């Protein structure tokens, strides 16, 4: 990567990036033989009023940028990384009710799946631990299939401080743990529709950290 930029490819991820007003797009490459994508992407650019030129290239040229093994669907864009704000910004939005915290998730497939699920279940945001967590990159964004650009992402430096801050702002904090004694569906029955929740998901190897569980 250079100048904080990387490549997004595939129809869903590319269109989500185009419709994300905060996403800076530097280049758009389309397979010159994939006529259906030409119309689709041009229509998306018109709807968002983005004035960007499209480079119509051969499949070989496209794959020089994204790789032959990746399912690019004849579409790729070079973008800048998004500015990820600290989680304190969440408390400024009174409509936020449910979010998920990723604590040292490192596999882009897992992180992408969580983003897709978060979007599918209409969660408001995802918080990532700044150190030891996967950062925005080609693998994560493309595994998220567009969800990364459709859901709010924030960052946290310390898990315990984040837990305490959310609790002090009247949020319930739930830790997802395979050895937990309470079933999450049973727990949620005890809360009312106006309660707010932050769900913690631990790393693939060790799960939630000890101090995270304690708090």
């Amino acid at each position: 990567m250079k100048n904080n930029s990387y490549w997004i490819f595939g129809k869903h991820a590319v269109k989500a990036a185009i419709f994300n007003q905060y996403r800076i797009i530097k280049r758009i490459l389309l397979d010159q033989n994939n006529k259906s994508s030409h119309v689709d992407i041009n229509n998306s650019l018109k709807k968002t009023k983005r004035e960007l030129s499209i480079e119509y290239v051969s499949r070989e040229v496209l794959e020089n940028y994204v790789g032959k093994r990746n399912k690019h669907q004849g579409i790729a864009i070079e973008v800048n990384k998004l500015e990820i704000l600290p989680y304190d910004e969440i408390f400024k939005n009174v409509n936020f009710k449910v979010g998920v915290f990723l604590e040292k998730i490192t596999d882009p497939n897992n992180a992408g799946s969580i983003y897709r699920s978060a979007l599918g279940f209409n969660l408001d945001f995802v918080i990532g631990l700044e150190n030891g967590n996967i950062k925005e990159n080609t693998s994560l964004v493309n595994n998220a299939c567009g969800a990364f650009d459709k859901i709010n992402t924030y960052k946290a430096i310390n898990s315990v401080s984040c837990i305490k801050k959310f609790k002090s702002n009247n949020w319930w904090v739930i830790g997802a743990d395979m050895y937990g004694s309470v079933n999450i569906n049973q727990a949620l029955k005890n809360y009312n529709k106006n309660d707010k929740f932050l769900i913690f998901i631990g790393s693939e190897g060790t799960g939630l950290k000890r101090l995270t569980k304690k708090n």
Side-chain angles (χ1 to χ4, degrees):
M1 295 188 296
K2 60 181 181 179
N3 301 324
N4 202 38
S5 66
Y6 68 97
W7 288 91
I8 295 176
F9 47 81
K11 180 176 66 175
H12 295 295
V14 167
K15 288 185 67 175
I18 290 173
F19 279 94
N20 183 354
Q21 62 176 320
Y22 300 108
R23 176 68 77 181
I24 295 174
I25 299 174
K26 302 173 74 173
R27 295 178 69 186
I28 301 178
L29 303 184
L30 294 183
D31 182 345
Q32 59 193 13
N33 295 317
N34 191 338
K35 303 300 183 183
S36 61
S37 67
H38 298 179
V39 176
D40 198 14
I41 296 302
N42 273 292
N43 285 338
S44 297
L45 292 173
K46 288 179 182 178
K47 289 179 181 178
T48 56
K49 297 182 180 179
R50 286 184 181 266
E51 296 182 359
L52 297 167
S53 59
I54 297 174
E55 300 174 50
Y56 298 97
V57 298
S58 66
R59 187 179 185 89
E60 290 73 23
V61 170
L62 187 63
E63 291 178 346
N64 282 338
Y65 288 100
V66 303
K68 292 183 178 181
R69 296 184 179 181
N70 291 316
K71 297 179 180 178
H72 52 72
Q73 297 176 299
I75 308 170
I77 58 175
E78 185 182 11
V79 302
N80 281 356
K81 289 183 179 180
L82 295 171
E83 180 186 6
I84 306 300
L85 299 175
Y87 72 86
D88 303 76
E89 296 294 317
I90 292 169
F91 305 116
K92 297 178 182 179
N93 193 323
V94 296
N95 295 316
F96 282 176
K97 294 190 64 176
V98 185
V100 62
F101 188 109
L102 308 187
E103 186 177 71
K104 292 189 177 296
I105 299 291
T106 58
D107 189 310
N109 294 297
N110 292 335
S113 295
I114 293 170
Y115 267 93
R116 296 197 305 270
S117 297
L119 181 65
F121 285 102
N122 202 31
L123 268 64
D124 298 303
F125 59 86
V126 174
I127 302 174
L129 195 60
E130 194 164 15
N131 293 319
N133 228 55
I134 186 169
K135 301 292 194 302
E136 178 186 351
N137 60 27
T138 295
S139 296
L140 168 58
V141 174
N142 286 292
N143 274 295
C145 297
F148 190 87
D149 274 272
K150 292 181 178 180
I151 194 165
N152 304 287
T153 299
Y154 299 93
K155 61 184 177 182
I157 296 175
N158 182 277
S159 299
V160 173
S161 297
C162 183
I163 291 170
K164 291 179 178 179
K165 188 67 173 289
F166 271 84
K167 288 166 69 174
S168 68
N169 279 274
N170 297 317
W171 285 65
W172 290 100
V173 182
I174 297 176
D177 188 283
M178 65 183 296
Y179 302 111
S181 59
V182 179
N183 181 282
I184 191 168
N185 292 320
Q186 295 173 331
L188 291 174
K189 291 180 181 179
N190 297 322
Y191 307 124
N192 65 59
K193 64 180 182 179
N194 295 318
D195 285 334
K196 298 184 176 185
F197 301 93
L198 178 62
I199 303 169
F200 263 71
I201 299 177
S203 74
E204 295 91 348
T206 57
L208 297 174
K209 295 191 295 184
R210 181 183 64 83
L211 289 176
T212 298
K213 292 182 182 182
K214 183 178 179 180
N215 283 273

